[in-house]
Amino acid sequence: YQITWACFDERRAMFILEQARIELAIAETAGNVVRKCLPVATETLLNVVNFLAKNDMPKHLKAANILHKKSIFYDGIIDWHRPADQIERFSRALDFAQYENAWARCKILLSHEFVAFDRCNITEQESEAPPGTIVAIERDSIFVTTGTQVVRIVKPKYPDGSLLCEREIAQLFE
């Protein structure tokens, strides 16, 4: 993982101003990630501010192609063909605990309506149905097949943040 500070020119080409690598373990929580990233982000931001104050282009400036909307998890929408552990790690990465994540929130499309969620858990059940198949609905959970195992989506909610009840979840599948 790394922190990257970049700017874009009029052609939408991305120029990397500063980068720093951060070692993260697979099971890191959002809180641990923030604690590790914040000091590195602060230090590297100071380097960028000093660079901009001098109005001097660094010798290591590299041009890179901008990332087109082809990322693994575009705007938080889950790709169910991915392995369950990648989906679970992604949901943890977007879970900022008590802080609202303005960038993205995990989303699934159910019957032409987006449903958001903060976390999912990997179950021990292997995926036998095609990825993205709803295999069970409980009071506050949806169970969905992935490329490897079934995941449990905890507390699905409307994009405005209001929780869905079991009846509302079931109606989305009718």
Side-chain angles (χ1 to χ4, degrees):
Y1 296 91
Q2 64 187 19
I3 291 178
T4 301
W5 295 99
C7 62
F8 298 90
D9 69 9
E10 64 280 351
R11 298 172 317 216
R12 302 278 299 151
M14 180 172 72
F15 296 93
I16 298 170
L17 300 173
E18 183 81 23
Q19 285 185 312
R21 291 192 59 79
I22 299 167
E23 295 299 321
L24 298 176
I26 288 177
E28 298 269 7
T29 64
N32 287 341
V33 171
V34 169
R35 279 189 287 282
K36 285 185 174 183
C37 291
L38 192 57
V40 176
T42 303
E43 180 182 329
T44 54
L45 178 60
L46 288 173
N47 294 342
V48 171
V49 169
N50 288 333
F51 154 71
L52 293 173
K54 292 178 188 174
N55 199 16
D56 187 23
M57 291 297 270
K59 305 243 186 298
H60 69 280
L61 191 66
K62 300 176 277 195
N65 292 330
I66 185 169
L67 297 173
H68 296 288
K69 301 288 185 180
K70 196 175 180 182
S71 62
I72 295 172
F73 301 102
Y74 171 59
D75 288 338
I77 299 172
I78 301 299
D79 176 0
W80 296 112
H81 292 87
R82 295 261 169 215
D85 64 326
Q86 286 184 11
I87 293 170
E88 190 270 339
R89 281 197 311 263
F90 179 67
S91 74
R92 267 198 341 256
L94 293 183
D95 181 8
F96 290 5
Q98 73 266 29
Y99 301 104
E100 185 65 30
N101 180 353
W103 174 70
R105 159 178 262 162
C106 290
K107 295 182 256 331
I108 56 176
L109 187 61
L110 299 177
S111 185
H112 308 292
E113 186 167 348
F114 280 108
V115 173
F117 64 95
D118 296 323
R119 285 300 280 273
C120 69
N121 303 322
I122 302 172
T123 68
E124 293 185 14
Q125 182 182 350
E126 299 223 0
S127 291
E128 295 177 7
T133 302
I134 308 298
V135 293
I137 300 171
E138 289 183 0
R139 183 179 53 81
D140 67 345
S141 303
I142 304 171
F143 293 81
V144 185
T145 58
T146 69
T148 56
Q149 291 168 272
V150 173
V151 295
R152 175 181 175 233
I153 295 172
V154 182
K155 296 183 181 174
K157 54 188 89 176
Y158 290 109
D160 69 2
S162 58
L163 293 175
L164 277 81
C165 65
E166 185 177 4
R167 181 183 47 77
E168 291 172 312
I169 295 169
Q171 285 175 345
L172 290 172
F173 300 108
E174 292 177 352

Coordinates of all heavy atoms in Angstrom, one line a residue, residues 44-122:
T44 N 4.5 13.4 4.1 CA 4.6 13.6 2.7 C 3.9 14.8 2.2 O 4.3 15.4 1.2 CB 4.1 12.3 1.9 OG1 2.8 12.0 2.4 CG2 5.0 11.1 2.2
L45 N 2.8 15.2 2.8 CA 2.0 16.4 2.5 C 2.9 17.6 2.7 O 2.9 18.5 1.9 CB 0.7 16.5 3.2 CG -0.1 17.8 2.9 CD1 -0.4 17.9 1.5 CD2 -1.3 17.8 3.8
L46 N 3.7 17.6 3.8 CA 4.6 18.7 4.1 C 5.6 18.8 3.0 O 6.0 19.9 2.5 CB 5.3 18.5 5.4 CG 4.4 18.8 6.6 CD1 5.1 18.4 7.9 CD2 3.9 20.2 6.7
N47 N 6.1 17.7 2.5 CA 7.0 17.7 1.3 C 6.4 18.4 0.1 O 7.0 19.2 -0.6 CB 7.5 16.3 1.0 CG 8.4 15.7 2.1 OD1 8.9 16.4 2.9 ND2 8.5 14.4 2.0
V48 N 5.1 18.0 -0.2 CA 4.4 18.5 -1.3 C 4.2 20.1 -1.1 O 4.4 20.8 -2.1 CB 3.1 17.8 -1.5 CG1 2.2 18.5 -2.6 CG2 3.3 16.4 -1.9
V49 N 3.8 20.5 0.1 CA 3.6 21.9 0.3 C 4.9 22.7 0.1 O 4.9 23.7 -0.5 CB 3.0 22.1 1.7 CG1 3.0 23.6 2.1 CG2 1.6 21.6 1.8
N50 N 6.0 22.1 0.6 CA 7.3 22.8 0.5 C 7.6 22.9 -1.0 O 8.1 23.9 -1.5 CB 8.4 22.1 1.2 CG 8.2 22.3 2.7 OD1 7.7 23.3 3.2 ND2 8.7 21.3 3.5
F51 N 7.4 21.9 -1.7 CA 7.6 21.9 -3.2 C 6.8 22.9 -3.9 O 7.3 23.7 -4.7 CB 7.4 20.5 -3.8 CG 7.0 20.5 -5.2 CD1 7.9 20.8 -6.2 CD2 5.7 20.2 -5.6 CE1 7.6 20.8 -7.5 CE2 5.3 20.3 -6.9 CZ 6.3 20.5 -7.9
L52 N 5.5 23.0 -3.6 CA 4.6 24.0 -4.2 C 5.0 25.4 -3.8 O 4.9 26.3 -4.6 CB 3.2 23.7 -3.8 CG 2.6 22.4 -4.4 CD1 1.2 22.1 -3.9 CD2 2.6 22.4 -5.9
A53 N 5.5 25.6 -2.5 CA 5.9 26.9 -2.1 C 7.1 27.4 -2.9 O 7.2 28.6 -3.2 CB 6.2 26.9 -0.6
K54 N 8.0 26.5 -3.2 CA 9.2 26.9 -4.0 C 8.8 27.0 -5.5 O 9.6 27.6 -6.2 CB 10.2 25.8 -3.8 CG 10.8 25.7 -2.5 CD 11.8 24.6 -2.4 CE 12.3 24.3 -1.0 NZ 13.2 23.2 -0.9
N55 N 7.7 26.5 -5.9 CA 7.3 26.5 -7.3 C 8.3 25.9 -8.2 O 8.7 26.4 -9.2 CB 6.9 27.9 -7.7 CG 6.1 27.9 -9.0 OD1 5.5 26.9 -9.3 ND2 6.0 29.1 -9.6
D56 N 8.9 24.8 -7.7 CA 10.0 24.2 -8.4 C 9.6 22.7 -8.7 O 9.2 22.0 -7.8 CB 11.2 24.2 -7.4 CG 12.5 23.7 -8.1 OD1 12.5 23.8 -9.4 OD2 13.4 23.3 -7.4
M57 N 9.7 22.4 -10.0 CA 9.4 21.0 -10.4 C 10.4 20.0 -9.9 O 11.6 20.2 -10.2 CB 9.2 20.9 -11.9 CG 8.0 21.6 -12.4 SD 6.5 21.0 -11.8 CE 6.1 19.8 -13.0
P58 N 10.1 19.0 -9.2 CA 11.1 18.0 -8.7 C 11.6 17.2 -9.9 O 10.9 16.9 -10.9 CB 10.3 17.1 -7.7 CG 8.9 17.3 -8.1 CD 8.7 18.6 -8.7
K59 N 12.8 16.8 -9.8 CA 13.5 16.0 -10.8 C 12.8 14.6 -11.0 O 12.9 14.0 -12.1 CB 15.0 15.8 -10.5 CG 15.7 17.2 -10.3 CD 16.7 17.4 -11.3 CE 17.5 18.6 -11.1 NZ 16.8 19.9 -11.1
H60 N 12.2 14.1 -9.9 CA 11.7 12.8 -10.0 C 10.2 12.8 -10.4 O 9.6 11.7 -10.4 CB 11.7 12.1 -8.6 CG 10.8 12.7 -7.6 ND1 11.2 13.9 -6.9 CD2 9.6 12.4 -7.1 CE1 10.2 14.3 -6.1 NE2 9.2 13.4 -6.2
L61 N 9.7 13.9 -10.9 CA 8.3 14.0 -11.3 C 8.1 13.0 -12.5 O 8.8 13.0 -13.5 CB 8.0 15.4 -11.8 CG 6.5 15.7 -12.0 CD1 5.8 15.7 -10.8 CD2 6.4 17.1 -12.7
K62 N 7.1 12.1 -12.3 CA 6.8 11.1 -13.3 C 5.4 11.3 -13.9 O 4.5 11.5 -13.1 CB 6.9 9.7 -12.7 CG 8.3 9.4 -12.1 CD 8.2 8.1 -11.5 CE 7.7 8.3 -10.1 NZ 7.9 7.2 -9.2
A63 N 5.2 11.2 -15.2 CA 3.9 11.2 -15.7 C 3.3 9.8 -15.7 O 4.0 8.8 -15.9 CB 3.9 11.7 -17.2
A64 N 2.0 9.7 -15.4 CA 1.4 8.4 -15.4 C 0.0 8.6 -16.1 O -0.5 9.6 -16.0 CB 1.2 7.9 -14.0
N65 N -0.5 7.5 -16.6 CA -1.8 7.6 -17.2 C -2.8 7.6 -16.1 O -2.7 7.0 -15.1 CB -2.1 6.4 -18.1 CG -1.3 6.4 -19.3 OD1 -0.9 7.4 -19.8 ND2 -1.0 5.2 -19.8
I66 N -3.9 8.5 -16.2 CA -4.9 8.5 -15.2 C -5.6 7.2 -15.2 O -5.8 6.5 -16.2 CB -5.9 9.7 -15.5 CG1 -6.9 9.8 -14.4 CG2 -6.6 9.5 -16.8 CD1 -7.7 11.1 -14.5
L67 N -6.1 6.8 -14.0 CA -6.8 5.6 -13.9 C -8.2 5.8 -14.5 O -9.0 6.7 -14.0 CB -6.9 5.1 -12.5 CG -5.6 4.8 -11.8 CD1 -5.8 4.5 -10.3 CD2 -5.0 3.6 -12.5
H68 N -8.6 5.1 -15.5 CA -10.0 5.2 -16.0 C -10.9 4.4 -15.1 O -10.5 3.6 -14.4 CB -10.0 4.8 -17.5 CG -9.2 5.6 -18.4 ND1 -9.5 6.9 -18.7 CD2 -8.0 5.4 -18.9 CE1 -8.6 7.4 -19.5 NE2 -7.7 6.6 -19.6
K69 N -12.2 4.6 -15.3 CA -13.2 3.9 -14.4 C -13.1 2.4 -14.7 O -14.1 1.8 -15.1 CB -14.6 4.5 -14.7 CG -14.7 6.0 -14.4 CD -14.6 6.3 -12.9 CE -14.8 7.7 -12.7 NZ -14.8 8.2 -11.4
K70 N -12.0 1.8 -14.4 CA -11.9 0.4 -14.6 C -11.2 -0.3 -13.4 O -10.5 -1.3 -13.5 CB -11.0 0.2 -15.9 CG -11.0 -1.2 -16.5 CD -10.2 -1.2 -17.7 CE -10.2 -2.6 -18.3 NZ -9.4 -2.7 -19.5
S71 N -11.5 0.3 -12.3 CA -10.9 -0.3 -11.1 C -11.6 -1.5 -10.6 O -12.7 -1.8 -11.1 CB -10.9 0.8 -9.9 OG -12.2 1.1 -9.6
I72 N -11.0 -2.3 -9.7 CA -11.6 -3.5 -9.3 C -13.0 -3.3 -8.6 O -13.9 -4.0 -8.9 CB -10.7 -4.2 -8.3 CG1 -9.4 -4.7 -9.0 CG2 -11.3 -5.4 -7.6 CD1 -8.3 -5.2 -8.0
F73 N -13.0 -2.3 -7.8 CA -14.3 -1.9 -7.1 C -14.7 -0.5 -7.5 O -14.4 0.4 -6.8 CB -14.1 -2.1 -5.6 CG -13.6 -3.4 -5.2 CD1 -12.3 -3.7 -4.9 CD2 -14.5 -4.4 -5.1 CE1 -11.9 -5.0 -4.5 CE2 -14.2 -5.7 -4.7 CZ -12.8 -6.0 -4.4
Y74 N -15.3 -0.3 -8.6 CA -15.7 1.0 -9.1 C -16.8 1.6 -8.2 O -17.8 1.1 -8.0 CB -16.2 0.9 -10.5 CG -16.8 2.1 -11.1 CD1 -16.1 3.3 -11.2 CD2 -18.1 2.1 -11.6 CE1 -16.7 4.4 -11.7 CE2 -18.7 3.2 -12.1 CZ -18.0 4.3 -12.1 OH -18.5 5.5 -12.7
D75 N -16.4 2.7 -7.6 CA -17.3 3.5 -6.7 C -18.0 2.6 -5.6 O -19.1 2.9 -5.2 CB -18.4 4.1 -7.5 CG -17.9 5.3 -8.3 OD1 -16.9 5.8 -8.0 OD2 -18.6 5.7 -9.3
G76 N -17.3 1.6 -5.1 CA -17.8 0.8 -4.0 C -18.7 -0.3 -4.5 O -19.1 -1.1 -3.6
I77 N -19.0 -0.5 -5.8 CA -19.9 -1.6 -6.2 C -19.1 -2.9 -6.2 O -18.0 -2.9 -6.8 CB -20.4 -1.3 -7.6 CG1 -21.3 0.0 -7.6 CG2 -21.3 -2.4 -8.1 CD1 -21.7 0.5 -8.9
I78 N -19.6 -3.9 -5.6 CA -18.9 -5.1 -5.4 C -19.0 -6.0 -6.6 O -20.0 -6.1 -7.3 CB -19.5 -5.9 -4.2 CG1 -19.5 -5.1 -2.9 CG2 -18.9 -7.3 -4.0 CD1 -18.1 -4.8 -2.4
D79 N -17.8 -6.5 -7.0 CA -17.7 -7.5 -8.1 C -17.7 -8.9 -7.4 O -16.7 -9.3 -6.8 CB -16.4 -7.3 -8.9 CG -16.2 -8.4 -9.9 OD1 -17.0 -9.3 -10.1 OD2 -15.1 -8.3 -10.6
W80 N -18.8 -9.6 -7.5 CA -19.0 -10.9 -6.8 C -18.2 -12.0 -7.3 O -18.0 -13.0 -6.7 CB -20.5 -11.3 -6.8 CG -21.3 -10.3 -6.1 CD1 -22.3 -9.4 -6.6 CD2 -21.3 -10.0 -4.7 NE1 -22.8 -8.7 -5.6 CE2 -22.2 -9.0 -4.4 CE3 -20.6 -10.5 -3.6 CZ2 -22.5 -8.5 -3.1 CZ3 -20.8 -10.0 -2.3 CH2 -21.7 -9.0 -2.1
H81 N -17.5 -11.8 -8.5 CA -16.7 -12.8 -9.0 C -15.3 -12.9 -8.3 O -14.6 -13.8 -8.4 CB -16.4 -12.6 -10.5 CG -17.7 -12.8 -11.3 ND1 -18.6 -11.8 -11.6 CD2 -18.1 -13.9 -11.9 CE1 -19.6 -12.3 -12.3 NE2 -19.3 -13.6 -12.5
R82 N -15.0 -11.8 -7.5 CA -13.8 -11.8 -6.8 C -13.9 -12.8 -5.6 O -14.9 -13.1 -5.1 CB -13.6 -10.4 -6.2 CG -13.4 -9.3 -7.3 CD -11.9 -9.1 -7.4 NE -11.7 -8.3 -8.6 CZ -10.6 -8.4 -9.3 NH1 -9.7 -9.3 -9.0 NH2 -10.4 -7.7 -10.4
P83 N -12.7 -13.2 -5.1 CA -12.7 -14.1 -3.9 C -13.3 -13.4 -2.7 O -13.2 -12.1 -2.6 CB -11.2 -14.4 -3.7 CG -10.5 -14.1 -5.0 CD -11.4 -13.0 -5.7
A84 N -13.9 -14.1 -1.8 CA -14.5 -13.6 -0.6 C -13.5 -12.8 0.2 O -13.9 -11.7 0.8 CB -15.1 -14.7 0.2
D85 N -12.3 -13.2 0.4 CA -11.4 -12.5 1.2 C -11.1 -11.1 0.7 O -10.9 -10.1 1.4 CB -10.1 -13.3 1.5 CG -9.3 -13.5 0.2 OD1 -9.9 -13.7 -0.9 OD2 -8.0 -13.6 0.3
Q86 N -11.0 -10.9 -0.7 CA -10.8 -9.6 -1.3 C -12.0 -8.7 -1.0 O -11.9 -7.5 -0.7 CB -10.6 -9.7 -2.8 CG -9.2 -10.2 -3.1 CD -9.0 -10.2 -4.6 OE1 -9.8 -9.6 -5.4 NE2 -7.9 -10.9 -5.1
I87 N -13.2 -9.2 -1.1 CA -14.4 -8.4 -0.9 C -14.5 -8.0 0.6 O -14.8 -6.9 0.9 CB -15.7 -9.2 -1.3 CG1 -15.7 -9.4 -2.9 CG2 -17.0 -8.6 -0.9 CD1 -16.7 -10.4 -3.4
E88 N -14.2 -8.9 1.5 CA -14.2 -8.6 2.9 C -13.2 -7.6 3.2 O -13.5 -6.6 4.0 CB -14.0 -9.9 3.7 CG -14.2 -9.8 5.2 CD -13.0 -9.3 6.0 OE1 -11.9 -9.5 5.5 OE2 -13.2 -8.8 7.1
R89 N -12.0 -7.7 2.7 CA -10.9 -6.7 3.0 C -11.3 -5.3 2.4 O -11.1 -4.3 3.0 CB -9.6 -7.1 2.3 CG -8.9 -8.1 3.1 CD -7.4 -8.2 2.7 NE -7.2 -8.4 1.3 CZ -7.0 -9.5 0.7 NH1 -7.0 -10.7 1.4 NH2 -6.7 -9.5 -0.6
F90 N -12.0 -5.3 1.2 CA -12.4 -4.1 0.6 C -13.5 -3.4 1.5 O -13.5 -2.2 1.7 CB -13.0 -4.3 -0.8 CG -13.5 -3.1 -1.4 CD1 -12.7 -2.1 -1.8 CD2 -14.9 -3.0 -1.7 CE1 -13.1 -1.0 -2.5 CE2 -15.3 -1.8 -2.3 CZ -14.5 -0.8 -2.7
S91 N -14.4 -4.2 2.1 CA -15.5 -3.6 2.9 C -14.8 -3.0 4.2 O -15.2 -2.0 4.7 CB -16.5 -4.7 3.3 OG -16.1 -5.6 4.2
R92 N -13.8 -3.7 4.7 CA -13.1 -3.2 5.9 C -12.4 -1.8 5.5 O -12.3 -0.9 6.3 CB -12.0 -4.2 6.4 CG -12.6 -5.1 7.5 CD -11.4 -5.7 8.3 NE -10.1 -5.8 7.6 CZ -9.6 -6.9 7.0 NH1 -10.3 -8.0 7.0 NH2 -8.4 -6.8 6.5
A93 N -11.8 -1.8 4.3 CA -11.1 -0.6 3.9 C -12.0 0.6 3.8 O -11.6 1.7 4.1 CB -10.4 -0.8 2.6
L94 N -13.2 0.4 3.4 CA -14.2 1.5 3.3 C -14.9 1.8 4.6 O -15.7 2.8 4.6 CB -15.2 1.2 2.2 CG -14.6 1.2 0.8 CD1 -15.7 1.0 -0.3 CD2 -13.8 2.5 0.5
D95 N -14.7 1.0 5.6 CA -15.4 1.2 6.9 C -14.6 2.1 7.8 O -13.5 1.7 8.3 CB -15.7 -0.1 7.6 CG -16.4 0.0 8.9 OD1 -16.8 1.1 9.2 OD2 -16.5 -1.0 9.6
F96 N -15.0 3.4 7.9 CA -14.2 4.4 8.7 C -14.7 4.5 10.1 O -14.7 5.5 10.8 CB -14.2 5.7 8.0 CG -13.5 5.8 6.8 CD1 -12.8 4.7 6.2 CD2 -13.3 7.0 6.1 CE1 -12.1 4.8 5.0 CE2 -12.6 7.1 4.9 CZ -12.0 6.0 4.4
A97 N -15.3 3.4 10.6 CA -15.9 3.3 12.0 C -16.9 4.4 12.2 O -17.9 4.5 11.4 CB -14.8 3.4 13.0
Q98 N -16.7 5.3 13.2 CA -17.8 6.3 13.4 C -17.7 7.5 12.5 O -18.6 8.3 12.5 CB -17.7 6.8 14.9 CG -16.5 7.7 15.1 CD -15.3 7.0 15.7 OE1 -15.1 5.9 15.4 NE2 -14.5 7.7 16.5
Y99 N -16.7 7.5 11.6 CA -16.6 8.6 10.6 C -17.3 8.2 9.3 O -17.1 7.1 8.8 CB -15.1 8.9 10.4 CG -14.4 9.3 11.6 CD1 -13.6 8.4 12.3 CD2 -14.7 10.6 12.2 CE1 -12.9 8.8 13.5 CE2 -14.0 10.9 13.4 CZ -13.2 10.0 14.0 OH -12.6 10.4 15.2
E100 N -18.0 9.2 8.7 CA -18.6 8.9 7.4 C -17.6 8.9 6.3 O -16.6 9.7 6.3 CB -19.6 10.1 7.1 CG -20.4 9.9 5.9 CD -21.4 8.7 5.9 OE1 -21.8 8.4 7.0 OE2 -21.6 8.1 4.9
N101 N -17.7 7.9 5.4 CA -16.8 7.8 4.3 C -17.4 8.5 3.1 O -18.3 8.0 2.5 CB -16.5 6.3 4.0 CG -15.6 6.2 2.8 OD1 -15.2 7.1 2.1 ND2 -15.2 4.9 2.6
A102 N -17.0 9.7 2.8 CA -17.6 10.5 1.7 C -17.1 10.0 0.3 O -17.7 10.3 -0.7 CB -17.2 12.0 1.9
W103 N -16.0 9.2 0.3 CA -15.5 8.8 -1.0 C -16.3 7.7 -1.6 O -16.7 7.7 -2.7 CB -14.0 8.4 -0.8 CG -13.5 7.8 -2.1 CD1 -13.2 8.4 -3.3 CD2 -13.2 6.4 -2.3 NE1 -12.7 7.5 -4.2 CE2 -12.7 6.3 -3.6 CE3 -13.3 5.3 -1.5 CZ2 -12.3 5.1 -4.2 CZ3 -12.9 4.1 -2.1 CH2 -12.4 4.0 -3.4
A104 N -16.6 6.7 -0.8 CA -17.3 5.5 -1.4 C -17.8 4.7 -0.2 O -17.4 4.8 0.9 CB -16.4 4.6 -2.2
R105 N -18.8 3.9 -0.5 CA -19.4 3.0 0.4 C -19.7 1.7 -0.3 O -20.1 1.8 -1.5 CB -20.7 3.7 1.0 CG -21.7 2.7 1.6 CD -22.9 3.5 2.1 NE -22.6 3.6 3.5 CZ -23.2 4.5 4.3 NH1 -24.0 5.3 3.8 NH2 -22.9 4.5 5.6
C106 N -19.6 0.6 0.3 CA -19.8 -0.7 -0.4 C -21.3 -0.7 -0.9 O -22.2 -0.3 -0.1 CB -19.6 -1.9 0.5 SG -17.8 -2.1 0.8
K107 N -21.5 -1.1 -2.1 CA -22.9 -1.1 -2.6 C -23.1 -2.4 -3.4 O -22.2 -2.9 -4.0 CB -23.1 0.1 -3.6 CG -23.1 1.4 -2.9 CD -23.3 2.5 -4.0 CE -22.2 3.3 -4.5 NZ -21.1 3.6 -3.8
I108 N -24.4 -2.8 -3.4 CA -24.8 -3.9 -4.3 C -26.1 -3.4 -5.0 O -26.8 -2.6 -4.5 CB -25.1 -5.2 -3.5 CG1 -26.1 -5.0 -2.4 CG2 -23.8 -5.8 -3.0 CD1 -26.4 -6.3 -1.6
L109 N -26.3 -4.0 -6.1 CA -27.5 -3.6 -6.9 C -28.5 -4.7 -6.7 O -28.3 -5.9 -7.1 CB -27.1 -3.4 -8.4 CG -28.2 -2.9 -9.3 CD1 -28.7 -1.5 -8.9 CD2 -27.7 -2.8 -10.7
L110 N -29.7 -4.4 -6.1 CA -30.7 -5.4 -5.9 C -32.0 -4.8 -6.6 O -32.5 -3.8 -6.3 CB -31.1 -5.5 -4.5 CG -29.9 -6.1 -3.6 CD1 -30.4 -6.1 -2.1 CD2 -29.5 -7.4 -4.0
S111 N -32.5 -5.6 -7.6 CA -33.7 -5.2 -8.3 C -33.7 -3.8 -8.7 O -34.6 -3.0 -8.5 CB -34.9 -5.5 -7.4 OG -36.1 -5.3 -8.1
H112 N -32.6 -3.3 -9.4 CA -32.5 -2.0 -9.9 C -32.4 -0.9 -8.8 O -32.7 0.3 -9.1 CB -33.6 -1.7 -10.9 CG -33.7 -2.7 -12.0 ND1 -32.8 -2.9 -12.9 CD2 -34.7 -3.6 -12.2 CE1 -33.1 -3.9 -13.7 NE2 -34.3 -4.3 -13.3
E113 N -32.1 -1.3 -7.6 CA -31.9 -0.3 -6.5 C -30.6 -0.6 -5.8 O -30.3 -1.7 -5.5 CB -33.1 -0.4 -5.6 CG -33.1 0.7 -4.5 CD -34.4 0.8 -3.8 OE1 -35.4 0.3 -4.2 OE2 -34.4 1.6 -2.8
F114 N -29.9 0.5 -5.5 CA -28.6 0.3 -4.8 C -28.9 0.1 -3.3 O -29.7 0.8 -2.7 CB -27.7 1.4 -5.0 CG -26.9 1.4 -6.3 CD1 -27.2 2.2 -7.3 CD2 -25.9 0.4 -6.4 CE1 -26.6 2.2 -8.5 CE2 -25.3 0.4 -7.6 CZ -25.6 1.2 -8.7
V115 N -28.2 -0.8 -2.7 CA -28.2 -1.1 -1.2 C -26.8 -1.0 -0.8 O -25.9 -1.5 -1.3 CB -28.8 -2.5 -0.9 CG1 -28.7 -2.8 0.6 CG2 -30.3 -2.5 -1.4
A116 N -26.6 -0.2 0.3 CA -25.3 0.0 0.8 C -25.0 -0.8 2.1 O -26.0 -1.3 2.7 CB -25.1 1.5 1.2
F117 N -23.8 -1.1 2.4 CA -23.5 -1.8 3.7 C -22.1 -1.3 4.1 O -21.3 -0.9 3.3 CB -23.6 -3.3 3.5 CG -22.6 -3.9 2.5 CD1 -21.4 -4.4 3.0 CD2 -22.9 -4.0 1.2 CE1 -20.6 -5.0 2.1 CE2 -22.1 -4.6 0.3 CZ -20.9 -5.1 0.7
D118 N -21.8 -1.5 5.4 CA -20.5 -1.1 5.9 C -19.5 -2.3 6.0 O -18.3 -2.1 5.8 CB -20.6 -0.5 7.3 CG -21.4 0.8 7.2 OD1 -21.3 1.6 6.2 OD2 -22.2 1.1 8.1
R119 N -20.0 -3.4 6.3 CA -19.1 -4.6 6.5 C -19.8 -5.9 6.0 O -21.0 -6.0 5.9 CB -18.9 -4.8 8.0 CG -18.0 -3.9 8.7 CD -16.5 -3.9 8.2 NE -15.7 -4.9 8.6 CZ -14.9 -5.0 9.7 NH1 -15.0 -4.0 10.6 NH2 -14.1 -5.9 9.9
C120 N -18.9 -6.8 5.6 CA -19.4 -8.1 5.3 C -18.4 -9.1 6.0 O -17.3 -8.8 6.3 CB -19.5 -8.4 3.8 SG -17.9 -8.4 2.9
N121 N -18.9 -10.3 6.3 CA -18.1 -11.4 6.9 C -18.1 -12.6 6.0 O -19.1 -12.9 5.4 CB -18.7 -11.7 8.3 CG -18.9 -10.6 9.2 OD1 -18.0 -9.7 9.2 ND2 -20.0 -10.5 9.9
I122 N -17.0 -13.3 6.0 CA -16.8 -14.5 5.2 C -17.4 -15.6 6.1 O -17.1 -15.8 7.2 CB -15.4 -14.8 4.9 CG1 -14.7 -13.6 4.1 CG2 -15.2 -16.1 4.1 CD1 -13.2 -13.8 3.9

